[in-house]
Amino acid sequence: MPRSFLVKKYFSSKKPYYRESQLESQTAFVPESFPRAELPTQNNSLALTCYPTNSFFSSMDTMPAPLSPVSLSPSPLGPLDLSSSPSSSSSEEEEDGGRSSDPPSPDIIQQHIYHCLHCSKSYTSLSALSHHQMSNCAPQQQTPSLPTKVSARPAFHCKHCPKEYTSLGALKMHIRSHTLPCVCPTCGKAFSRPWLLRGHIRTHTGERPFACQHCNRAFADRSNLRAHLQTHSEVKKYQCGSCSRTFSRMSLLHKHTASGCCPAS
DNA sequence: CTGGGGAGGGGGCCC
DNA sequence: GGGGCCCCCTCCCCA
């Protein structure tokens, strides 16, 4: 069991942002057949019961948000194999556990419902909501993060943090890091992007598609394979400017310099 | 302290 | 223009 998988940092430090109204609606939409707060056990095929977006969000602080990606069920993410299905149009499909003996179903529900808080309209995509807000709906409450026609500022502001972007696409990408729409059906951990979730699911399945050519090791993540390959290299990629020592990773070089090995540097 | 694996995030490119 | 993928990076943990 992966370590960092057990320690869900964002449970304590990263807070998904949802309105209380969303929480209510989320709770309301939780199928009663989904047991809550049930710890997954080895024999419990309902490991997905930590229904994440409900159980822990409900205890989170909430923030006002004009955009309301309501996660009705574990997840807003489209099928794992997204190649054939746009994330915003997935239909409800059964979500299955991602246990290694029972490979995770790629059918991870992504059901975004974006509500305009200025009127009662709902949209299935953020872009649709954005377009609505930009063209039709004048904000009457809260502070809009998306630009409106009346706004002369060219930037698209994130309402969750001070960042701003020059394009809606970039903002949408960024907002995902707040809303974490991709939820693991097995453990409920949420991610900003589908491929991050796919990588995470490999921690459940044990799949390691990236094999090292030089040894028998295999990795679930390409980046980790790349880092591993450095260990086979005699000359490491990262070199200390002071003592010329080389390291396989930037982080090792940083630790090296931070440890005071080369105080002059 | 060092080396390495596991996991996750952001930016940018490509289709 | 948007989504997916890749690269790079960082952090955490353990031996």
Side-chain angles (χ1 to χ4, degrees), chain A residues 24 72 85 100 146 163 234 242 250:
Chain A
E24 291 169 2
L72 298 181
S85 174
S100 56
L146 290 172
K163 291 186 178 179
E234 292 192 4
S242 298
M250 177 74 78

Side-chain angles (χ1 to χ4, degrees), chain A residues 31-53:
Chain A
E32 292 185 1
S33 60
F34 292 150
R36 296 182 210 168
E38 181 179 352
L39 293 177
T41 62
Q42 206 164 12
N43 297 324
N44 182 4
S45 62
L46 291 175
L48 61 150
T49 43
C50 353
Y51 251 82
T53 52

Side-chain angles (χ1 to χ4, degrees), chain A residues 35-170:
Chain A
R36 296 182 210 168
E38 181 179 352
L39 293 177
T41 62
Q42 206 164 12
N43 297 324
N44 182 4
S45 62
L46 291 175
L48 61 150
T49 43
C50 353
Y51 251 82
T53 52
N54 302 308
S55 58
F56 75 86
F57 283 176
S58 61
S59 62
M60 295 290 180
D61 292 338
T62 58
M63 289 185 63
L67 300 179
S68 308
V70 177
S71 204
L72 298 181
S73 60
S75 174
L77 167 67
L80 268 186
D81 180 0
L82 298 171
S83 60
S84 62
S85 174
S87 61
S88 62
S89 62
S90 310
S91 58
E92 285 197 17
E93 295 176 24
E94 84 170 42
E95 35 179 274
D96 204 341
R99 307 191 62 75
S100 56
S101 59
D102 183 9
S105 163
D107 309 324
I108 299 175
I109 298 171
Q110 177 154 22
Q111 183 166 359
H112 275 177
I113 296 180
Y114 296 93
H115 299 286
C116 176
L117 298 185
H118 307 314
C119 64
S120 59
K121 294 183 179 179
S122 297
Y123 296 86
T124 57
S125 70
L126 178 58
S127 58
L129 172 60
S130 176
H131 182 266
H132 158 75
Q133 291 187 325
M134 291 176 68
S135 59
N136 301 323
C137 190
Q140 296 173 359
Q141 59 179 1
Q142 302 294 337
T143 54
S145 60
L146 290 172
T148 63
K149 271 191 169 180
V150 292
S151 173
R153 288 179 292 183
F156 290 77
H157 298 268
C158 174
K159 77 177 304 56
H160 305 306
C161 71
K163 291 186 178 179
E164 60 182 49
Y165 296 84
T166 56
S167 70
L168 178 60

Side-chain angles (χ1 to χ4, degrees), chain A residues 158-192:
Chain A
C158 174
K159 77 177 304 56
H160 305 306
C161 71
K163 291 186 178 179
E164 60 182 49
Y165 296 84
T166 56
S167 70
L168 178 60
L171 175 63
K172 285 174 64 179
M173 173 79 74
H174 170 74
I175 285 178
R176 293 175 73 98
S177 68
H178 292 295
T179 59
L180 302 177
C182 310
V183 182
C184 175
T186 300
C187 67
K189 190 164 186 177
F191 300 86
S192 59

